[in-house]
Structure formats: structure tokens, C-alpha cells
């Protein structure tokens, strides 16, 4: 489906008249398709088109989400900086892109900055950070972050528990993973 949507958007862009320009929802659909396909080149072109047409400010979070899904941290961060009202979804997107590639310094810096901006993390963003530790194989920092989770009461969340299990399995720390396993949904 995303490929079909992207083809339709290309067609619309090629044949529209001045009074028939795509609206914000159409552009958002294009960014969603590019993100789902990992089509960063097409997404960058689309980004240029919306900037040129003056609609970029209306769809900033869609641009950020596309770059995040494509795994392009520099562009994702630039897009994140352009978002005026950063909500939890925006923070999760930019933290997630750094976590996926194991850039934990940036990931943790943004996690702290999010909280300084009075955005309370949920299980999804905490899970992103934990998965990032698993991806980077940073055992010491991963265990330290687990301590932060316990002290800040993020543990009663299915996503957090699943991510803790993932992280400890990646670390090869199966005795710790076995203690977390009963907390994961569907494990019984």
C-alpha cells in the first residue's frame, strides 16, 4: 500500500494546476508512505516541495516521523528542532532513531531534555531507550538505566518490561531476564 500511495502522490504532484494543490493530509500521507518504505530520497524531495509550497510548518511531526522511520538521525534531529510544540510523540520519534542505531549519548541527552521540558516519559519512550542499550551492548549503562526506571516508577508498564527482557537477553544476562519474564504479558 505505501508504494501505491507514493505513486499517487507523484502523479498528483506532476499534474496539479495552481488551484488544485494537495492539502496537509495529502502531504502527511506521502511522508507516511516514505517512512514506511524507508524511502529517504523521495521523502527528502517531498520535504523540499512542502517547504517550497509553504506548508512545512503544518506537518512538522510527519516530516520528523518519516526521517525517524528511515533511520536518518541528522535529518530527524533537524526536523525535531523545527517542531514548535514538541509533544511526547515528537520526543519519542527522535529518541527512537538514536536508540535504534545505538547512539546512546544522544539518546540519553534527549531523554533528559524531554523531562526538563516537563514531558513525562511513557512506556514507549522508556522502551526505546532500553532497546537502544540492548542494541549498543552497553551493559553498565543499561543496568544503571534500569535503576532509574525502578526509582522513577516506570516498571509497571508492559512495554518497559518487554524492553527490559529484550535488553537483558541481548546482554546474555539470562538470570536477570528470567526474573523479568513473569512480568511480561502472555508469559504465563
Amino acid at each position: 500500500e505505501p508504494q501505491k500511495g507514493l505513486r499517487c502522490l507523484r502523479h498528483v504532484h506532476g499534474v496539479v494546476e495552481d488551484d488544485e494543490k494537495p492539502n496537509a493530509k495529502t502531504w502527511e500521507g506521502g511522508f507516511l508512505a516514505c517512512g514506511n518504505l524507508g524511502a529517504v530520497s523521495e521523502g527528502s524531495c517531498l520535504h523540499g516541495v512542502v517547504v517550497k509550497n509553504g506548508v512545512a510548518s503544518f506537518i512538522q511531526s510527519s516530516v520528523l516521523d518519516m526521517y525517524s522511520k528511515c533511520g536518518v538521525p541528522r535529518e530527524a534531529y533537524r526536523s525535531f528542532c523545527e517542531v514548535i510544540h514538541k509533544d511526547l510523540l515528537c520526543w519519542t520519534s527522535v529518541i527512537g532513531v538514536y536508540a535504534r542505531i545505538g547512539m546512546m549519548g544522544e539518546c540519553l541527552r534527549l531523554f533528559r531534555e524531554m523531562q526538563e521540558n516537563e514531558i513525562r516519559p511513557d512506556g514507549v519512550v522508556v522502551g526505546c531507550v532500553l532497546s537502544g542499550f540492548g542494541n549498543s551492548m552497553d551493559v553498565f549503562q543499561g543496568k544503571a538505566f534500569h535503576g532509574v526506571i525502578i526509582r522513577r516508577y516506570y516498571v509497571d508498564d508492559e512495554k518497559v518490561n518487554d524492553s527490559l527482557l529484550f535488553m537483558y537477553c541481548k546482554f546474555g544476562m539470562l538470570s536477570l531476564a528470567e526474573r523479568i519474564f513473569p512480568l511480561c504479558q502472555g508469559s504465563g
Side-chain angles (χ1 to χ4, degrees), residues 91-172:
W91 286 99
T92 302
S93 290
V94 74
I95 289 170
V97 73
Y98 285 109
R100 276 193 299 278
I101 59 175
M103 291 181 67
M104 297 312 296
E106 281 300 302
C107 190
L108 290 174
R109 183 187 66 76
L110 288 164
F111 187 80
R112 280 190 295 276
E113 188 178 324
M114 175 184 72
Q115 293 173 83
E116 290 167 3
N117 282 282
E118 299 181 7
I119 304 289
R120 178 154 168 76
D122 67 356
V124 175
V125 72
V126 171
C128 284
V129 176
L130 288 167
S131 295
F133 283 119
N135 293 334
S136 70
M137 296 300 291
D138 189 340
V139 176
F140 179 77
Q141 289 293 326
K143 288 176 78 175
F145 191 72
H146 186 183
V148 169
I149 291 168
I150 291 169
R151 286 189 299 280
R152 301 227 176 122
Y153 307 106
Y154 299 137
V155 247
D156 287 336
D157 185 285
E158 179 183 337
K159 179 68 177 156
V160 171
N161 291 328
D162 289 348
S163 297
L164 280 167
L165 181 65
F166 166 82
M167 181 183 78
Y168 284 122
C169 285
K170 287 277 286 207
F171 291 164

Side-chain angles (χ1 to χ4, degrees), residues 3-185:
Q3 290 178 337
K4 184 178 178 184
L6 198 52
R7 276 194 308 274
C8 288
L9 192 59
R10 283 185 193 129
H11 176 72
V12 166
H13 180 65
V15 298
V16 294
E17 312 239 343
D18 286 338
D19 58 339
E20 299 175 344
K21 293 192 182 222
N23 62 22
K25 289 292 182 191
T26 305
W27 295 120
E28 286 175 344
F31 286 114
L32 180 64
C34 290
N36 289 341
L37 291 168
V40 71
S41 179
E42 289 85 348
S44 293
C45 290
L46 189 59
H47 187 190
V49 170
V50 298
V51 167
K52 181 180 171 188
N53 286 309
V55 294
S57 62
F58 300 108
I59 55 173
Q60 293 168 324
S61 60
S62 296
V63 174
L64 167 61
D65 187 54
M66 183 270 303
Y67 284 124
S68 296
K69 285 179 178 177
C70 290
V72 187
R74 178 179 286 152
E75 295 304 320
Y77 185 73
R78 278 190 197 145
S79 297
F80 172 76
C81 290
E82 292 172 3
V83 175
I84 297 165
H85 301 289
K86 294 171 178 68
D87 60 7
L88 182 60
L89 183 61
C90 291
W91 286 99
T92 302
S93 290
V94 74
I95 289 170
V97 73
Y98 285 109
R100 276 193 299 278
I101 59 175
M103 291 181 67
M104 297 312 296
E106 281 300 302
C107 190
L108 290 174
R109 183 187 66 76
L110 288 164
F111 187 80
R112 280 190 295 276
E113 188 178 324
M114 175 184 72
Q115 293 173 83
E116 290 167 3
N117 282 282
E118 299 181 7
I119 304 289
R120 178 154 168 76
D122 67 356
V124 175
V125 72
V126 171
C128 284
V129 176
L130 288 167
S131 295
F133 283 119
N135 293 334
S136 70
M137 296 300 291
D138 189 340
V139 176
F140 179 77
Q141 289 293 326
K143 288 176 78 175
F145 191 72
H146 186 183
V148 169
I149 291 168
I150 291 169
R151 286 189 299 280
R152 301 227 176 122
Y153 307 106
Y154 299 137
V155 247
D156 287 336
D157 185 285
E158 179 183 337
K159 179 68 177 156
V160 171
N161 291 328
D162 289 348
S163 297
L164 280 167
L165 181 65
F166 166 82
M167 181 183 78
Y168 284 122
C169 285
K170 287 277 286 207
F171 291 164
M173 302 177 100
L174 300 183
S175 62
L176 287 172
E178 285 175 346
R179 283 196 256 164
I180 293 165
F181 185 72
L183 304 173
C184 298
Q185 181 151 350

